[in-house]
Amino acid sequence: MNQNKSVIYWLLSGCVLLFIMVTVGGITRLTNSGLSMTDWHLVTDTFPPLTDEKWQAAFEEYKKFPEYQKINIHNDFQLSDYKFIYFWEWFHRFIGRIIGLVFIVPFVYFLIKKKLNSETIKKCIILLGMGAFQGFLGWFMVKSGLIDNPDVSHFRLSLHLTFAFITFAYTLWVALDIIYPTKNEVILPLRKMARIALVFLIIQIIYGGFVAGLNAGLIHNHWPLMSDGQLLHESVILEKDSWLLRLTEGKSGVQFVHRTMAYVVVGLILFLYFKSKKFSLSNQQQNGLNLLVIIVFLQFLLGVFTLLFSVPLWLGLTHQIMAFILLATMTYTLHRFSK
């Protein structure tokens, strides 16, 4: 680690906050809390309602929207229930504001103190843009559940989730560039294989968002085959009219892709691991690969149990957290094979 320790700690603290934010986002989704705040204000939403009158006003506003009118009105939904779901959405947005401050204030300070070289400044400006876009995606997602359908678009949810993962991975990459300033000789075949594995991992994360957005983990709770002992359950074909729609909008189809893609991701990482045996690796490269194999198997098992137990909150959340750790390990390993 070089003299820019403060910059490294700053970037890594951003990674930790993004991890916390995605975790809270997972809780928000799994507790159906995401539509509790029906508007977005940069300043006035910073803290939750502080009086009974303001709570009641927020609850009355919530009652005007589809989630209450079509679902919760039938569930004896009281103010205490509303406060619970409000908390998780508020906390999710609050962490977003904290991330903004944690990024912008030190960034300005490091600029003034000339602690960032031109290359790092460019990367940090990209990160700033990614953070702002992520905030927009969050509201863009919520808005889709406030019109007619009492649920957010699974496409928008997946976009919001996946972009958070990508923002985290890029932040980690920028930090690793500073942590390891000395460039090593690139092992091209392994870098290429690691890039392919990363692409398929991101596709799997996208489909994880689809599964969450469609609640597709609540059906076909069997493994290794789907319901009725079928590899490709007939409901995949019956749900939609075309294969594009079946595999992107049908609950059964989306689950089929997600459970099948898991084998692909595991296979690619194992292939990368065994292919690496032909080369002389540094300790960092070998440790990255070893950890990658362990974590991908843990994630696979978590996915299986999450499905078998019909997505209990703690398992669904653990599965999402492990996906984050898997992406972090994949990013680190690719970085060590690239620079």
Side-chain angles (χ1 to χ4, degrees):
M1 196 175 285
N2 65 10
Q3 60 185 351
N4 292 322
K5 281 187 179 180
S6 54
V7 177
I8 293 167
Y9 291 144
W10 166 56
L11 290 167
L12 292 179
S13 68
C15 289
V16 171
L17 283 169
L18 284 166
F19 169 75
I20 294 170
M21 185 158 186
V22 169
T23 302
V24 173
I27 297 172
T28 303
R29 174 63 197 172
L30 290 166
T31 55
N32 295 311
S33 303
L35 297 175
S36 57
M37 295 177 71
T38 56
D39 208 342
W40 189 88
H41 304 284
L42 183 60
V43 177
T44 54
D45 284 343
T46 303
F47 298 102
L50 300 175
T51 65
D52 290 340
E53 291 78 10
K54 288 184 177 178
W55 269 117
Q56 196 60 49
F59 189 32
E60 292 302 320
E61 190 64 25
Y62 171 73
K63 289 179 179 180
K64 298 176 184 177
F65 291 89
E67 184 175 76
Y68 178 81
Q69 294 175 349
K70 296 183 179 181
I71 299 174
N72 285 333
I73 195 172
H74 306 295
N75 296 333
D76 191 29
F77 195 79
Q78 303 297 321
L79 180 60
S80 58
D81 302 308
Y82 176 67
K83 286 181 177 180
F84 174 78
I85 64 170
Y86 187 101
F87 169 78
W88 287 113
E89 176 62 14
W90 166 80
F91 191 37
H92 186 55
R93 297 188 190 192
F94 182 73
I95 296 169
R97 289 179 168 91
I98 296 297
I99 290 173
L101 287 173
V102 167
F103 184 84
I104 293 169
V105 174
F107 180 51
V108 172
Y109 171 79
F110 290 139
L111 280 177
I112 293 169
K113 291 292 184 178
K114 295 184 168 35
K115 288 204 168 194
L116 305 174
N117 60 36
S118 59
E119 192 65 29
T120 305
I121 290 171
K122 288 176 188 174
K123 292 171 184 173
C124 288
I125 290 171
I126 291 171
L127 279 173
L128 185 62
M130 291 175 81
F133 186 58
Q134 178 66 1
F136 163 75
L137 286 177
W139 177 242
F140 183 62
M141 175 191 71
V142 168
K143 197 174 179 183
S144 67
L146 298 176
I147 303 169
D148 298 313
N149 186 17
D151 207 352
V152 298
S153 158
H154 70 288
F155 290 116
R156 295 188 189 187
L157 182 143
S158 185
L159 183 60
H160 183 52
L161 174 72
T162 306
F163 199 75
F165 274 71
I166 292 170
T167 303
F168 163 82
Y170 186 66
T171 306
L172 180 59
W173 190 276
V174 176
L176 290 170
D177 280 346
I178 303 171
I179 293 169
Y180 301 110
T182 306
K183 294 188 182 296
N184 298 318
E185 188 176 342
V186 176
I187 305 174
L188 290 173
L190 297 184
R191 182 180 72 176
K192 182 180 179 181
M193 196 63 237
R195 283 176 173 174
I196 292 169
L198 176 62
V199 168
F200 277 90
L201 176 57
I202 290 172
I203 293 170
Q204 179 69 333
I205 290 167
I206 291 169
Y207 266 87
F210 286 175
V211 169
L214 290 170
N215 294 314
L218 302 178
I219 58 173
H220 304 302
N221 301 109
H222 306 273
W223 186 84
L225 300 174
M226 298 177 83
S227 300
D228 307 314
Q230 297 177 17
L231 178 64
L232 177 71
H233 195 263
E234 58 192 356
S235 57
V236 174
I237 296 168
L238 295 173
E239 265 191 294
K240 299 290 177 180
D241 295 330
S242 72
W243 277 106
L244 177 62
L245 294 179
R246 286 166 188 156
L247 300 182
T248 57
E249 294 187 21
K251 290 185 180 183
S252 296
V254 162
Q255 193 201 101
F256 173 76
V257 173
H258 192 55
R259 63 197 291 158
T260 305
M261 190 66 70
Y263 294 106
V264 176
V265 172
V266 171
L268 287 170
I269 288 173
L270 284 177
F271 184 75
L272 173 64
Y273 178 80
F274 288 114
K275 189 179 180 70
S276 72
K277 298 298 182 185
K278 298 176 182 177
F279 300 89
S280 177
L281 305 182
S282 68
N283 286 335
Q284 294 158 5
Q285 291 168 335
Q286 190 61 61
N287 290 339
L289 282 172
N290 292 343
L291 195 57
L292 198 55
V293 171
I294 292 168
I295 290 173
V296 79
F297 273 108
L298 284 174
Q299 176 65 342
F300 186 90
L301 285 173
L302 276 171
V304 170
F305 285 116
T306 302
L307 185 64
L308 291 177
F309 290 102
S310 302
V311 200
L313 192 149
W314 73 273
L315 254 180
L317 188 60
T318 306
H319 187 48
Q320 181 172 304
I321 289 170
M322 191 59 73
F324 212 88
I325 295 170
L326 179 58
L327 179 65
T329 311
M330 187 78 245
T331 303
Y332 173 81
T333 305
L334 176 58
H335 190 277
R336 293 296 73 220
F337 282 120
S338 301
K339 296 187 178 184

